[in-house]
Amino acid sequence: MVLHETEIEILGIIENNGRLPIETIAKMVGKSIEQVEEIIQKLESLKIIVEYNTIVDWRKVEGHEGVTAMIDVKVTPKRGVGFDDIAAKIYRFKEVKSVYLMSGAYDLSVVIEGRTMSEVAHFVSEKLSTLDSVLSTTTHFILKKYKHDGTIFDQGDEDKRIVVSP
């Protein structure tokens, strides 16, 4: 679908900060509030704007740190549906946050979240690896997030107090 320049500009603004008031967006693009509301409703109805998300640094919430793993999956595609069928089976699991078709040594990249490493291991061994089309998996545990979806974590968290010594 071909979008107008203003629609693309609004998408860029919303992608960077989905909580901006309509009034602010309207001023930024030089349009009326009503025009911006109409454009956003159009983009939502066309599923170009799919969802509004919040990024949470769960490491800072005691007892809710959890474990995130990236799993490389090698699969056998099915005739007529390619990778879509197995990808759909995988993304329906509640633990799965993302599924991507990849080029390279593995076919799919799956991002999952669990409370513990054991929970992630159980998912891989009991649910993912047992699917008919799955040939092999390689699991990578995320140890620390530095940047996620354009947001830098721990930016400006260092202690800025002046050291005073006797």
Side-chain angles (χ1 to χ4, degrees):
M1 164 168 278
V2 177
L3 297 179
H4 298 287
E5 189 177 321
T6 303
E7 294 169 327
I8 293 170
E9 191 175 0
I10 290 172
L11 284 173
I13 291 167
I14 291 173
E15 185 177 37
N16 287 328
N17 185 354
R19 295 189 67 182
L20 278 178
I22 298 281
E23 298 80 13
T24 304
I25 297 170
K27 287 178 187 173
M28 292 171 78
V29 298
K31 299 288 182 184
S32 71
I33 293 170
E34 293 77 21
Q35 289 173 309
V36 172
E37 285 176 337
E38 187 177 301
I39 290 169
I40 291 173
Q41 287 174 356
K42 171 189 168 187
L43 296 170
E44 288 173 345
S45 68
L46 293 171
K47 301 291 185 204
I48 293 171
I49 296 175
V50 179
E51 190 173 312
Y52 298 89
N53 288 311
T54 301
I55 298 172
V56 178
D57 190 352
W58 286 106
R59 293 177 306 127
K60 295 182 178 179
V61 182
E62 192 172 324
H64 294 277
E65 298 86 358
V67 176
T68 303
M70 298 176 77
I71 306 165
D72 298 325
V73 185
K74 189 170 231 5
V75 300
T76 303
K78 290 189 177 176
R79 180 164 294 172
V81 293
F83 295 100
D84 295 347
D85 186 54
I86 187 65
K89 286 179 184 174
I90 293 170
Y91 69 61
R92 287 190 183 105
F93 289 114
K94 67 177 177 56
E95 298 90 345
V96 174
K97 300 302 170 196
S98 305
V99 178
Y100 305 99
L101 179 61
M102 306 296 288
S103 63
Y106 290 89
D107 303 307
L108 299 174
S109 180
V110 179
V111 179
I112 70 162
E113 292 179 357
R115 290 187 309 256
T116 64
M117 289 179 106
S118 295
E119 191 174 281
V120 171
H122 181 266
F123 169 80
V124 173
S125 64
E126 301 296 321
K127 295 180 179 179
L128 184 60
S129 295
T130 61
L131 295 173
D132 287 337
S133 296
V134 173
L135 299 174
S136 66
T137 64
T138 301
T139 303
H140 310 275
F141 288 98
I142 294 178
L143 303 176
K144 182 178 181 179
K145 285 184 187 176
Y146 293 100
K147 186 175 183 179
H148 179 79
D149 285 344
T151 301
I152 298 171
F153 287 74
D154 292 334
Q155 190 174 25
D157 286 349
E158 69 271 359
D159 190 357
K160 293 183 172 50
R161 296 178 291 175
I162 298 172
V163 176
V164 179
S165 58

